[in-house]
Amino acid sequence: MRSFTPRLVALDIDGTLVDLEGRMPDSVEEAVARVRESGTPVVLATGRGLFGTLPIHEALNLPPGEMVVSNGAVTVRTPPLEIVDEVTFDPGPVIREVLEARPTALVAVEDVGVGYRLNKYFPDGELQGEMIIESVEELSSRPAARVIIRDPDAPPSEFVELARHLGLHGVSYFIGWSAWMDITPRGVTKASALAQLCRARGIDRADVLAMGDGHNDVEMLAWAGRGVAMGDAPEAVQSVADAVTGTFAEEGTAAELNRWFGPAAR
């Protein structure tokens, strides 16, 4: 396997680079620095929106380049900030279906580069950027790259059942670690955005190292030349990966990156 030489490294954020409290271990920062110093592009590929991703890009001291955010619906380049690609859909039918089935749900429609338009405020710290309260009609009135459905009082299992009940035809959706559902245009994933980015850079997917831990990483891990799941990722995520590294607590992210970019690999 040593013949594999990553020409691009795609990294999920939550559960891969930072823990649930948003803390990044020194080992991860140091390992990413080695990748950066090698000249190999590092692309953050995350379900986070733009404003939740920028602080991680800055904390890692990454050079100007692309970030895949909103589960692949948006690709941006920074600095200076530029939206490279944004795939949208009509959010109206999904919003109405969800609220009919779950009237108490919180709904947020991402407004890329601004923040979110919402029917009610989300718990503090869960969303970043400007927050604008709107009616359901206003939320449904124009195309969106991503819709977030949230219910802080519900277990994630209820959202799995909600998704099954609704069917959610014509869109892609991902259930988070809490009662949180990301809805994006059909067929849009981290993998689809990375594929477009790699075509523009002339990089074969066989030369991409990707790491992640969530259900929204499945397509990316299956697509990359070397897809690596975290040791604490669900079995469904681990099963599509080429390899499984240690858990986050075991510094699995650093171990995998150091395999290719650590002192012993040079």
mmCIF file of all heavy atoms in Angstrom, residues 99-121:
data_model
loop_
_atom_site.group_PDB
_atom_site.id
_atom_site.type_symbol
_atom_site.label_atom_id
_atom_site.label_comp_id
_atom_site.label_asym_id
_atom_site.label_seq_id
_atom_site.Cartn_x
_atom_site.Cartn_y
_atom_site.Cartn_z
ATOM 1 N N LEU A 99 -43.061 19.816 8.321
ATOM 2 C CA LEU A 99 -43.843 20.511 9.338
ATOM 3 C C LEU A 99 -45.243 19.923 9.488
ATOM 4 O O LEU A 99 -45.836 19.997 10.573
ATOM 5 C CB LEU A 99 -43.918 22.004 9.007
ATOM 6 C CG LEU A 99 -42.594 22.765 9.171
ATOM 7 C CD1 LEU A 99 -42.760 24.226 8.778
ATOM 8 C CD2 LEU A 99 -42.088 22.660 10.610
ATOM 9 N N GLU A 100 -45.762 19.331 8.438
ATOM 10 C CA GLU A 100 -47.055 18.656 8.564
ATOM 11 C C GLU A 100 -46.921 17.428 9.467
ATOM 12 O O GLU A 100 -47.798 17.138 10.287
ATOM 13 C CB GLU A 100 -47.573 18.227 7.187
ATOM 14 C CG GLU A 100 -48.955 17.599 7.232
ATOM 15 C CD GLU A 100 -49.485 17.283 5.845
ATOM 16 O OE1 GLU A 100 -48.970 17.830 4.859
ATOM 17 O OE2 GLU A 100 -50.430 16.460 5.765
ATOM 18 N N ALA A 101 -45.794 16.712 9.310
ATOM 19 C CA ALA A 101 -45.561 15.517 10.121
ATOM 20 C C ALA A 101 -45.069 15.861 11.519
ATOM 21 O O ALA A 101 -45.336 15.144 12.481
ATOM 22 C CB ALA A 101 -44.557 14.604 9.420
ATOM 23 N N ARG A 102 -44.316 16.955 11.629
ATOM 24 C CA ARG A 102 -43.726 17.351 12.919
ATOM 25 C C ARG A 102 -43.819 18.867 13.065
ATOM 26 O O ARG A 102 -42.850 19.590 12.816
ATOM 27 C CB ARG A 102 -42.275 16.878 12.974
ATOM 28 C CG ARG A 102 -41.743 16.785 14.380
ATOM 29 C CD ARG A 102 -40.384 16.108 14.434
ATOM 30 N NE ARG A 102 -40.056 15.769 15.796
ATOM 31 C CZ ARG A 102 -40.302 14.583 16.364
ATOM 32 N NH1 ARG A 102 -40.862 13.620 15.658
ATOM 33 N NH2 ARG A 102 -39.986 14.362 17.619
ATOM 34 N N PRO A 103 -44.966 19.376 13.505
ATOM 35 C CA PRO A 103 -45.207 20.822 13.561
ATOM 36 C C PRO A 103 -44.245 21.595 14.450
ATOM 37 O O PRO A 103 -44.055 22.795 14.261
ATOM 38 C CB PRO A 103 -46.646 20.920 14.094
ATOM 39 C CG PRO A 103 -47.260 19.593 13.769
ATOM 40 C CD PRO A 103 -46.153 18.596 13.887
ATOM 41 N N THR A 104 -43.629 20.916 15.432
ATOM 42 C CA THR A 104 -42.735 21.624 16.360
ATOM 43 C C THR A 104 -41.291 21.706 15.858
ATOM 44 O O THR A 104 -40.434 22.273 16.537
ATOM 45 C CB THR A 104 -42.721 20.925 17.732
ATOM 46 O OG1 THR A 104 -42.278 19.572 17.559
ATOM 47 C CG2 THR A 104 -44.117 20.928 18.347
ATOM 48 N N ALA A 105 -41.006 21.154 14.693
ATOM 49 C CA ALA A 105 -39.631 21.105 14.195
ATOM 50 C C ALA A 105 -39.089 22.509 13.928
ATOM 51 O O ALA A 105 -39.819 23.429 13.538
ATOM 52 C CB ALA A 105 -39.559 20.285 12.918
ATOM 53 N N LEU A 106 -37.793 22.669 14.152
ATOM 54 C CA LEU A 106 -37.093 23.889 13.792
ATOM 55 C C LEU A 106 -36.581 23.727 12.370
ATOM 56 O O LEU A 106 -36.063 22.670 12.005
ATOM 57 C CB LEU A 106 -35.903 24.124 14.726
ATOM 58 C CG LEU A 106 -36.161 24.057 16.233
ATOM 59 C CD1 LEU A 106 -34.881 24.358 17.003
ATOM 60 C CD2 LEU A 106 -37.271 25.008 16.638
ATOM 61 N N VAL A 107 -36.730 24.753 11.557
ATOM 62 C CA VAL A 107 -36.317 24.705 10.154
ATOM 63 C C VAL A 107 -35.373 25.863 9.862
ATOM 64 O O VAL A 107 -35.656 27.013 10.221
ATOM 65 C CB VAL A 107 -37.538 24.798 9.205
ATOM 66 C CG1 VAL A 107 -37.075 24.770 7.743
ATOM 67 C CG2 VAL A 107 -38.522 23.668 9.475
ATOM 68 N N ALA A 108 -34.254 25.552 9.236
ATOM 69 C CA ALA A 108 -33.296 26.592 8.829
ATOM 70 C C ALA A 108 -32.957 26.391 7.358
ATOM 71 O O ALA A 108 -32.654 25.280 6.924
ATOM 72 C CB ALA A 108 -32.025 26.520 9.671
ATOM 73 N N VAL A 109 -33.013 27.465 6.598
ATOM 74 C CA VAL A 109 -32.629 27.450 5.189
ATOM 75 C C VAL A 109 -31.326 28.234 5.081
ATOM 76 O O VAL A 109 -31.261 29.405 5.481
ATOM 77 C CB VAL A 109 -33.709 28.090 4.302
ATOM 78 C CG1 VAL A 109 -33.238 28.146 2.851
ATOM 79 C CG2 VAL A 109 -35.014 27.312 4.410
ATOM 80 N N GLU A 110 -30.287 27.577 4.566
ATOM 81 C CA GLU A 110 -28.981 28.237 4.504
ATOM 82 C C GLU A 110 -28.960 29.329 3.439
ATOM 83 O O GLU A 110 -29.421 29.134 2.317
ATOM 84 C CB GLU A 110 -27.882 27.213 4.212
ATOM 85 C CG GLU A 110 -26.487 27.821 4.258
ATOM 86 C CD GLU A 110 -25.384 26.786 4.243
ATOM 87 O OE1 GLU A 110 -25.685 25.586 4.109
ATOM 88 O OE2 GLU A 110 -24.215 27.188 4.355
ATOM 89 N N ASP A 111 -28.429 30.476 3.824
ATOM 90 C CA ASP A 111 -28.210 31.597 2.910
ATOM 91 C C ASP A 111 -26.694 31.764 2.832
ATOM 92 O O ASP A 111 -26.075 32.396 3.698
ATOM 93 C CB ASP A 111 -28.884 32.853 3.458
ATOM 94 C CG ASP A 111 -28.975 33.968 2.432
ATOM 95 O OD1 ASP A 111 -28.401 33.801 1.335
ATOM 96 O OD2 ASP A 111 -29.619 34.998 2.723
ATOM 97 N N VAL A 112 -26.086 31.140 1.838
ATOM 98 C CA VAL A 112 -24.624 31.025 1.762
ATOM 99 C C VAL A 112 -23.959 32.398 1.787
ATOM 100 O O VAL A 112 -24.331 33.299 1.037
ATOM 101 C CB VAL A 112 -24.202 30.258 0.489
ATOM 102 C CG1 VAL A 112 -22.673 30.130 0.427
ATOM 103 C CG2 VAL A 112 -24.848 28.880 0.470
ATOM 104 N N GLY A 113 -22.975 32.538 2.657
ATOM 105 C CA GLY A 113 -22.252 33.793 2.789
ATOM 106 C C GLY A 113 -22.924 34.789 3.701
ATOM 107 O O GLY A 113 -22.362 35.856 3.983
ATOM 108 N N VAL A 114 -24.117 34.460 4.189
ATOM 109 C CA VAL A 114 -24.865 35.353 5.084
ATOM 110 C C VAL A 114 -25.149 34.660 6.416
ATOM 111 O O VAL A 114 -24.765 35.130 7.478
ATOM 112 C CB VAL A 114 -26.191 35.805 4.439
ATOM 113 C CG1 VAL A 114 -26.975 36.687 5.415
ATOM 114 C CG2 VAL A 114 -25.927 36.540 3.130
ATOM 115 N N GLY A 115 -25.815 33.537 6.358
ATOM 116 C CA GLY A 115 -26.209 32.829 7.567
ATOM 117 C C GLY A 115 -27.388 31.916 7.282
ATOM 118 O O GLY A 115 -27.346 31.116 6.346
ATOM 119 N N TYR A 116 -28.478 32.085 8.059
ATOM 120 C CA TYR A 116 -29.628 31.204 7.911
ATOM 121 C C TYR A 116 -30.930 31.985 8.057
ATOM 122 O O TYR A 116 -31.025 32.944 8.830
ATOM 123 C CB TYR A 116 -29.601 30.093 8.973
ATOM 124 C CG TYR A 116 -28.440 29.150 8.802
ATOM 125 C CD1 TYR A 116 -27.207 29.435 9.394
ATOM 126 C CD2 TYR A 116 -28.552 27.993 8.041
ATOM 127 C CE1 TYR A 116 -26.122 28.581 9.234
ATOM 128 C CE2 TYR A 116 -27.478 27.138 7.875
ATOM 129 C CZ TYR A 116 -26.267 27.446 8.471
ATOM 130 O OH TYR A 116 -25.195 26.601 8.300
ATOM 131 N N ARG A 117 -31.934 31.525 7.320
ATOM 132 C CA ARG A 117 -33.304 31.981 7.507
ATOM 133 C C ARG A 117 -34.043 30.868 8.240
ATOM 134 O O ARG A 117 -33.948 29.704 7.858
ATOM 135 C CB ARG A 117 -33.953 32.290 6.154
ATOM 136 C CG ARG A 117 -33.212 33.393 5.397
ATOM 137 C CD ARG A 117 -33.830 33.721 4.047
ATOM 138 N NE ARG A 117 -33.649 32.654 3.075
ATOM 139 C CZ ARG A 117 -34.630 31.980 2.500
ATOM 140 N NH1 ARG A 117 -35.894 32.240 2.829
ATOM 141 N NH2 ARG A 117 -34.378 31.042 1.619
ATOM 142 N N LEU A 118 -34.762 31.200 9.312
ATOM 143 C CA LEU A 118 -35.332 30.185 10.189
ATOM 144 C C LEU A 118 -36.794 30.458 10.542
ATOM 145 O O LEU A 118 -37.234 31.608 10.513
ATOM 146 C CB LEU A 118 -34.551 30.115 11.515
ATOM 147 C CG LEU A 118 -33.031 30.206 11.518
ATOM 148 C CD1 LEU A 118 -32.585 31.647 11.727
ATOM 149 C CD2 LEU A 118 -32.446 29.340 12.615
ATOM 150 N N ASN A 119 -37.505 29.372 10.897
ATOM 151 C CA ASN A 119 -38.858 29.572 11.432
ATOM 152 C C ASN A 119 -38.802 29.848 12.940
ATOM 153 O O ASN A 119 -39.656 30.530 13.494
ATOM 154 C CB ASN A 119 -39.756 28.374 11.141
ATOM 155 C CG ASN A 119 -39.340 27.104 11.865
ATOM 156 O OD1 ASN A 119 -38.170 26.937 12.238
ATOM 157 N ND2 ASN A 119 -40.277 26.194 12.054
ATOM 158 N N LYS A 120 -37.780 29.306 13.624
ATOM 159 C CA LYS A 120 -37.542 29.551 15.055
ATOM 160 C C LYS A 120 -36.035 29.461 15.286
ATOM 161 O O LYS A 120 -35.323 28.830 14.507
ATOM 162 C CB LYS A 120 -38.234 28.488 15.923
ATOM 163 C CG LYS A 120 -39.723 28.319 15.676
ATOM 164 C CD LYS A 120 -40.215 27.077 16.426
ATOM 165 C CE LYS A 120 -41.628 26.708 16.017
ATOM 166 N NZ LYS A 120 -42.060 25.424 16.619
ATOM 167 N N TYR A 121 -35.572 30.058 16.373
ATOM 168 C CA TYR A 121 -34.149 30.014 16.675
ATOM 169 C C TYR A 121 -33.713 28.616 17.112
ATOM 170 O O TYR A 121 -34.420 27.937 17.850
ATOM 171 C CB TYR A 121 -33.786 31.020 17.766
ATOM 172 C CG TYR A 121 -33.831 32.450 17.294
ATOM 173 C CD1 TYR A 121 -34.800 33.326 17.773
ATOM 174 C CD2 TYR A 121 -32.913 32.916 16.346
ATOM 175 C CE1 TYR A 121 -34.855 34.644 17.331
ATOM 176 C CE2 TYR A 121 -32.962 34.232 15.897
ATOM 177 C CZ TYR A 121 -33.929 35.086 16.388
ATOM 178 O OH TYR A 121 -33.984 36.381 15.935
#
